[in-house]
C-alpha cells in the first residue's frame, strides 16, 4: 500500500512517481526521494496548466505563471506553495556537494507532495471531496500497513467537517427565518398604517376645528336676529 494509492485512478504516471519516492525514502535514499518529489511537483504543475504550458517551459517558468494567477483561492495558494517547496528542496538535493542522511526534509517533501496530489485529484482530477479528509500516514510509509491511529484521525476529520457544515446550515436557516420575520413585520406595519389612513375618524378625531365652531355660532346668531326683525319688530 501507498499513501498515494488514490492517484491510481486519477493518473497512473503520477502514482508511479510518488510510489517510487516512498520506496526511496523507505530505503533511506533521502536525497533521491526529494529529487523524485520535485519531479512529481513539476508533473502536477504541467497538468494543472494544461495547454498554457509549452513543451519547453521549465518548472520555474510554469510556477511563475501559476503565481501570477489573479485573485488565487486559498487552495491555489497552498498548492503553489507546496510546489515551490518541492522545487527548492529537490534542487538542493540534486546540486548539494555533501550527501545528506537526514530524512526529516525528505519526509516533509513527501507530505507536501501528498497534499499537492490531493488538491490536484479533487480540484482537477474529479475525485470526491471526501479525499480531502485523508492524512499522510508515516506508519504506512515505513511498514506498508495503514495506521489505525490515522484511520481514526481521518474519521474524526470527516465527522468534524459534517458538524461544521450542519452548524452552518442551521445558522443560515435561522438567519433566513429572521429575515422573513422582519419582512413580514414590515409589511404588517405598512398595512396597519394604510388601514389607519383609510378608516373613518372617531371620537376626538372627529372634533371640529375652533374657527368652524365660532363661524357657526355667528351664523346662528345672525339667523336668530333676522327672524326677530321679521316677526317681532312690526
Amino acid at each position: 500500500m501507498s499513501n498515494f494509492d488514490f492517484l491510481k485512478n486519477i493518473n497512473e504516471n503520477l502514482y508511479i512517481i510518488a510510489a517510487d519516492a516512498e520506496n526511496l525514502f523507505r530505503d533511506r535514499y533521502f536525497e533521491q526521494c526529494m529529487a523524485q518529489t520535485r519531479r512529481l511537483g513539476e508533473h502536477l504543475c504541467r497538468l494543472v496548466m494544461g495547454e498554457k504550458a509549452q513543451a519547453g517551459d521549465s518548472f520555474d517558468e510554469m510556477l511563475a505563471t501559476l503565481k501570477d494567477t489573479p485573485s488565487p483561492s486559498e487552495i491555489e495558494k497552498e498548492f503553489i506553495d507546496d510546489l515551490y517547496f518541492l522545487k527548492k528542496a529537490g534542487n538542493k538535493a540534486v546540486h548539494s556537494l555533501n550527501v545528506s542522511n537526514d530524512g526529516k526534509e525528505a519526509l516533509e517533501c513527501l507530505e507536501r507532495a501528498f497534499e499537492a496530489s490531493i488538491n490536484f485529484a479533487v480540484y482537477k482530477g474529479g475525485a470526491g471531496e471526501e479525499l480531502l479528509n485523508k492524512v499522510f500516514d508515516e506508519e504506512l510509509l515505513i511498514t506498508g500497513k495503514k495506521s489505525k491511529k490515522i484511520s481514526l484521525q481521518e474519521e474524526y476529520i470527516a465527522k468534524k467537517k459534517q458538524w461544521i457544515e450542519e452548524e452552518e446550515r442551521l445558522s443560515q436557516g435561522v438567519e433566513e427565518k429572521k429575515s422573513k420575520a422582519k419582512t413580514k413585520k414590515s409589511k404588517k406595519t405598512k398595512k396597519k398604517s394604510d388601514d389607519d389612513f383609510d378608516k373613518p375618524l372617531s371620537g376626538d378625531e372627529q372634533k371640529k376645528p375652533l374657527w368652524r365652531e365660532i363661524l357657526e355660532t355667528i351664523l346662528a346668531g345672525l339667523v336668530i336676529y333676522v327672524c326677530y326683525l321679521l316677526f317681532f319688530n312690526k
Side-chain angles (χ1 to χ4, degrees), residues 204-218:
D204 294 338
E205 292 174 330
Q206 291 182 332
K207 189 174 181 180
K208 296 176 183 178
L210 181 61
W211 65 267
R212 186 171 178 179
E213 290 182 354
I214 294 172
L215 181 59
E216 289 179 349
T217 301
I218 293 173

Side-chain angles (χ1 to χ4, degrees), residues 5 47 49 66 86 88 138 140-142 152 166-167 180 184 189 195 209 221:
D5 277 345
L47 288 170
M49 289 192 64
L66 281 182
L86 295 176
K88 183 178 179 181
E138 292 184 22
L140 175 60
L141 170 64
I142 302 301
L152 291 173
E166 184 63 27
E167 286 180 358
K180 288 180 180 178
K184 187 176 180 181
T189 302
D195 290 345

